[in-house]
Amino acid sequence: MRIVVLVSGTGSNLQAVIDAVKEGTLDIEIAAVGADRPGTYGIERSAAAGIPTFVVDFKAHPDRAAWNDALAEAVAAFEPDLVLSSGFMRIVSADFIDAFGGKYLNTHPALLPSFPGAHGVRDALAYGVKVTGCTVHWADAGVDTGPIIAQEAVAVEDGETEESLHERIKVVERRLLVSTLASLAAEQKAAASPN
Ligand code: GRF
């Protein structure tokens, strides 16, 4: 299973995927890593791991549609079976998702459909929930919407800050992401050789 990963930030979830592939516990190929802006650590760490990288700078395009088209073209060049949004802070169009057969995977640091959006951890904490967690799901063109594949709960501790809670969620999120990718790769393998 070939994947292209999209990042906007530090890419620690991506690093977990890179490490699992390197250790031989995850049988996929990271064909490329792309970002929506220059200078991300996610791109830096991918390049350091010898993975092809690209940037389709949102700000360098006249409008969202032009950026979407350019992103679709850049991703398609690597012929992925699946596109992973890993801390990618942009909504892509339905056309983009269709171009990859709907195989657009996202991770979110809350138990969807609760607390979608860019501040899922902060919003859950502000609401006062005692349990939150993370979700891996097939993304559609909405904000953190689409069929859920896997979820895991994380208890909120007394005196927790957004940072401390997000860090603890990310530990679980990385594991869930890697195991979900492993299951999807196994399913693809089985479908390719049913006997
Ligand atoms: C993750 O919690 C992801 O779900 C959210 O942003 C975080 C990305 O972290 N959208 P990193 O860039 O993988 O460290």
Side-chain angles (χ1 to χ4, degrees):
M1 185 170 80
R2 284 169 65 78
I3 74 166
V4 168
V5 186
L6 300 177
V7 293
S8 295
T10 57
S12 66
N13 284 353
L14 162 66
Q15 187 66 52
V17 177
I18 294 173
D19 291 347
V21 171
K22 270 202 179 140
E23 287 158 10
T25 52
L26 179 59
D27 186 15
I28 65 167
E29 183 188 343
I30 305 172
V33 175
D36 60 331
R37 59 192 178 90
T40 62
Y41 188 52
I43 289 292
E44 205 179 300
R45 66 165 95 227
S46 306
I51 299 166
T53 63
F54 61 90
V55 175
V56 182
D57 190 354
F58 188 82
K59 291 191 174 146
H61 290 80
D63 54 34
R64 180 171 285 277
W67 173 78
N68 250 292
D69 290 349
L71 183 69
E73 200 180 320
V75 172
F78 293 98
E79 301 182 342
D81 298 305
L82 180 158
V83 182
L84 168 63
S85 156
S86 185
F88 190 55
M89 304 307 279
R90 302 268 178 205
I91 301 299
V92 296
S93 68
D95 283 353
F96 177 95
I97 296 168
D98 287 350
F100 302 103
K103 302 279 187 200
Y104 187 54
L105 196 71
N106 184 44
T107 71
H108 182 72
L111 293 175
L112 294 173
S114 295
F115 308 114
H119 305 294
V121 179
R122 187 187 306 171
D123 294 346
L125 203 54
Y127 196 93
V129 296
K130 299 298 179 198
V131 176
T132 183
C134 53
T135 303
V136 181
H137 66 109
W138 292 120
D140 59 23
V143 178
D144 299 318
T145 52
I148 290 168
I149 303 172
Q151 287 186 309
E152 205 167 311
V154 173
V156 179
E157 293 173 355
D158 289 344
E160 192 108 69
T161 64
E162 181 182 354
E163 289 68 33
S164 68
L165 180 57
H166 200 170
E167 267 322 303
R168 291 195 307 109
I169 290 173
K170 284 212 281 191
V171 171
V172 176
E173 192 178 8
R174 291 178 195 124
R175 177 165 37 77
L176 202 64
L177 174 60
V178 169
S179 68
T180 302
L181 285 169
S183 302
L184 293 172
E187 277 170 26
Q188 182 174 310
K189 218 172 192 175
S193 51
N195 303 315

